[in-house]
Amino acid sequence: QVQLVESGGGLVQPGESLRLSCAASASIFRISTMGWYRQAPGKQRELVASITSGGTTNYADSVKGRFTISRDNAKNTVYLQMSSAKAEDTAVYYCNLRLMSANYWGQGTQVTVSP
């Protein structure tokens, strides 16, 4: 069983930065595609960013140029660097690990962007 533990959420002001981390318990991390998703109240969960085992990244249009996803295979950890935060970034952020048919989720971490 794979466990994903997110950290780094909290309250930030508009325009500020925040870094989320997600540590995976399994060595399959390094061959998996990792993603960050978010779900705002009353909305569906949406993909924010993803990174393949080879380092190819993909971003939602709403965060392009502001967020950066990266991974450290030696630490089994994926990061989401959030910059120029906006109120509409407020959501619960979830880490996701995907490998063929396997799909795992973290418990989520709250990010609130407010003055």
Side-chain angles (χ1 to χ4, degrees):
Q1 184 72 13
V2 176
Q3 289 189 321
L4 301 174
V5 180
E6 300 106 334
S7 60
L11 174 65
V12 294
Q13 295 188 351
E16 290 188 341
S17 297
L18 192 69
R19 189 176 81 158
L20 305 183
S21 300
C22 171
S25 63
S27 61
I28 62 169
F29 172 89
R30 60 196 64 202
I31 60 173
S32 301
T33 293
M34 300 300 300
W36 286 98
Y37 289 72
R38 67 186 180 187
Q39 188 167 18
K43 294 188 176 181
Q44 289 189 329
R45 190 173 298 189
E46 63 175 359
L47 174 68
V48 176
S50 64
I51 183 167
T52 67
S53 58
T56 300
T57 57
N58 180 51
Y59 295 94
D61 288 343
S62 59
V63 306
K64 280 181 182 176
R66 299 190 299 119
F67 291 9
T68 301
I69 188 170
S70 61
R71 63 191 298 160
D72 185 339
N73 289 338
K75 297 182 179 180
N76 285 359
T77 300
V78 63
Y79 305 97
L80 184 69
Q81 178 68 48
M82 306 169 58
S83 303
S84 303
K86 301 179 180 180
E88 50 263 42
D89 296 324
T90 296
V92 178
Y93 284 71
Y94 296 91
C95 178
N96 174 261
L97 182 151
R98 183 164 47 87
L99 178 63
M100 291 186 286
S101 61
N103 197 28
Y104 299 96
W105 294 92
Q107 81 286 354
T109 186
Q110 176 70 46
V111 173
T112 302
V113 184
S114 179

